[in-house]
Amino acid sequence: MKINAGKLNYRELNQWLRDTKEDCDIVDCRGQRFIAAGRKGGKITISGTPGNALGAYLDGTRLEVMGNAQDAVGDTMNDGTIIIHGNVGDAAGYAMRGGSLYVKGNAGYRAGVHMKAYGDKFPVMVIGGRTGSFLGEYLAGGVIVVLGLHNDGKRIVHYFPCTGMHGGKVFLRSDCSTVDFPDKVHVASATPEDLEEIRPYVEEYVRLFGGDAETLMKGPFTVVTPDSSNPYRQLYVTN
């Protein structure tokens, strides 16, 4: 089903999506918010630029954007796949608890903030370029991979990465020699076992956007993990 979004506001566009169970091809998207929020199945392809909270609470749909997307892509998504053939704004994957998010280009501030894993739900985010400050802030579960492509000499992540991290893993394709990490995380060169963990995600990135997986896997990769199961427990008063 083809939907021309050029003259629809976000309520009208989302009503179209609620009223159909078919796969959809949205064209001339102009910043409409909440596209496919809570949707459970099928495929949606978007030409143009979707607005904030694309795929919020997504529960199994495959969303593919043939360009850039704005803030809060995949906010609290539960399952499914979001593919962005461009850049994303701030807070991509906010509170994401399942599914996968692949971004060809860069991400803004606070990508992966509050990501978490539970039961059989395991969120994965792969960013092809670089990210802004507070990457993986309060990360509680899942995996974030940043490949550092198309960086124009800029460092792979900006200030305060992994602040408050207490679960999950962050992989940065860099030696991170110029990156300042907080005290309460463990920063190390990725081991062969670490690299095998992320290989399927790198291979999927290449399948979606092109490139050579073996070249990317040569790294170097830095892996960041919390230094205990609850590194901030001592900051709180308990009875």
Side-chain angles (χ1 to χ4, degrees):
M1 180 178 183
K2 185 173 182 177
I3 302 175
N4 191 320
K7 294 183 179 180
L8 301 176
N9 63 39
Y10 78 94
R11 291 187 179 90
E12 293 167 329
L13 175 56
N14 283 299
Q15 190 62 54
W16 273 95
L17 294 176
R18 284 191 292 271
D19 289 343
T20 181
K21 301 298 183 183
E22 298 179 40
D23 295 347
C24 296
D25 185 5
I26 299 173
V27 299
D28 199 18
C29 188
R30 301 186 179 186
Q32 290 92 340
R33 296 172 285 167
F34 312 124
I35 293 175
R39 193 174 175 95
K40 288 184 175 295
K43 300 178 182 178
I44 297 175
T45 302
I46 301 173
S47 298
T49 304
N52 291 356
L54 169 73
Y57 303 101
L58 197 71
D59 200 19
T61 297
R62 177 187 172 95
L63 285 176
E64 188 162 10
V65 179
M66 311 311 293
N68 300 325
Q70 295 183 19
D71 297 346
V73 172
D75 182 348
T76 324
M77 71 181 286
N78 189 55
D79 200 357
T81 303
I82 301 178
I83 302 160
I84 309 294
H85 288 261
N87 304 319
V88 294
D90 297 339
Y94 176 87
M96 182 178 173
R97 58 197 183 200
S100 56
L101 171 57
Y102 287 86
V103 179
K104 182 178 182 180
N106 303 323
Y109 291 172
R110 288 191 159 90
V113 58
H114 284 301
M115 272 177 56
K116 57 186 71 69
Y118 180 75
D120 63 348
K121 299 296 183 183
F122 188 84
V124 174
M125 179 187 299
V126 181
I127 307 296
R130 62 183 183 274
T131 71
S133 299
F134 295 102
L135 170 71
E137 184 181 28
Y138 304 121
L139 185 70
V143 167
I144 299 173
V145 181
V146 185
L147 295 175
L149 302 172
H150 331 298
N151 270 0
D152 300 323
K154 297 180 180 178
R155 63 185 184 180
I156 194 168
V157 61
H158 214 234
Y159 300 121
F160 314 118
C162 306
T163 299
M165 179 181 184
H166 56 280
K169 294 182 180 180
V170 174
F171 291 83
L172 302 168
R173 188 172 166 268
S174 166
D175 64 12
C176 293
S177 59
T178 61
V179 178
D180 292 324
F181 291 96
D183 293 336
K184 292 182 173 60
V185 296
H186 180 68
V187 181
S189 297
T191 66
E193 292 77 15
D194 291 327
L195 295 179
E196 285 306 303
E197 180 179 350
I198 64 168
R199 177 178 289 276
Y201 312 136
V202 174
E203 290 177 346
E204 179 65 4
Y205 178 91
V206 166
R207 189 188 71 78
L208 292 169
F209 305 121
D212 181 73
E214 291 306 317
T215 298
L216 292 177
M217 289 301 299
K218 289 178 182 177
F221 276 93
T222 299
V223 59
V224 187
T225 55
D227 67 1
S228 77
S229 61
N230 189 355
Y232 290 86
R233 179 175 298 173
Q234 65 268 28
L235 301 181
Y236 299 90
V237 175
T238 58
N239 294 325

